[in-house]
Amino acid sequence: MTVDVLGRPLRNLRISVTDRCNMRCRYCMPEAEYVWLPRESILTFEEIDRLAGIFVGLGVRKIRLTGGEPLLRHALPTLVRLLRRHEAVRDLALTTNGILLARSAQALREAGLRRVTVSIDTLQPERMVAFARSARHAEVLAGIHAATAAGFDSVKLNTVVIRGYNDDEVLDLLTFARDRGLEVRFIEYMDVGGATDWDQRKVVSQQEILASIAAEHGPVTELHQSGWAPAERFRLADGSTFGVIASTTAPFCRTCDRARLTADGTFLLCLYGERGLDLRELLRTGASDEEIAGRIRDTWSSRTDRGAEVRAALPDRGILHQIDSLRADPRREMHTRGG
Ligand code: SAM
Ligand code: SF4
Ligand code: SF4
């Protein structure tokens, strides 16, 4: 096992397969224009798979494909088929906005993908046009339907709750998920790179979300998954479950076992992290697996990152990165580092 300075294991790897997206969610990509990673810098499937094997050798047991919009990456099931061969991986999952999911859900399942999370922030198509510059709400719904039918181990929904945008839809989204036997996770609006519209006043806290659910549905029971992290999953009296992730108001970096690999092969230690290790350079200059593993191990061993906790402790919390700093280094963008 590879552990960091705070004793956190390297167990969970999020792989961004592209920095491109077919939506423009205001909390993630609000600008008119973006600096994209050069095409030749994007890792091939073979390169991703080789790195995944090295990470698995260092203790990674969960892999999630993300982006950008991962389904924009051509032939994604081919990558899934490569990754499933790493037998130590217990969990192979995907986070998607769902637009292209209906056409690939079955192929992804057959390739060996275990779990899917679909991001859906509103049930109102015109809100998605206004907030995410996309008129493809029906395709998202079709994607959720196809994923449910494809037989994944689990299909979950992710909803970022933003005051003045969709905070009046929490109960509707809860019902939508429950009616389909799905679990929805409400996520606090985070001040990550790319969220240049972020404002503390737009954050709807876990406490507030739970209070509005309890007011409608009665007592909410906490489900504790591990001894030391606070509850993120909850149960209603009817037995249905949901999640509320306090990533902004009460983050729990102490248990964070997540590493990230950007689409161009930069190994990052934290969603807010500035330091990165260029694994593409190592891959393309002929480094051996042992050399690459050694560099990853050394980097993780010196990890002290607690990005969200540090942000939460700031007296006057503002935007993390202004647009100029994002343009200077697009790896600071949430859609590049993989949310
Ligand atoms: N495009 C895919 C999607 O939207 O599911 C995958 C990438 S996206 C960056 C991954 C997740 O990050 C999504 O669930 C999205 O809602 C979340 N996200 C992006 N910006 C966020 C922010 N400012 N605060 C909280 N969550 C955010
Ligand atoms: Fe929205 Fe995901 Fe695209 Fe970001 S990467 S703009 S969250 S769909
Ligand atoms: Fe992990 Fe960084 Fe997120 Fe904290 S802010 S939970 S350390 S990725």
Side-chain angles (χ1 to χ4, degrees), residues 305-323:
D305 299 60
R306 296 185 304 110
E309 287 183 353
V310 171
R311 298 284 303 163
L314 292 177
D316 209 359
R317 194 169 177 177
I319 292 165
L320 177 67
H321 290 299
Q322 301 294 342
I323 185 64

Side-chain angles (χ1 to χ4, degrees), residues 61 73 76-77 110 130 136 203 229 238 241 249 291 299 317 337:
R61 295 293 174 264
R73 183 80 189 247
L76 198 65
E110 282 163 15
R136 302 174 74 177
V203 178
D238 68 5
T241 54
T249 62
E291 283 170 300
T299 306
R317 194 169 177 177
R337 52 183 52 196

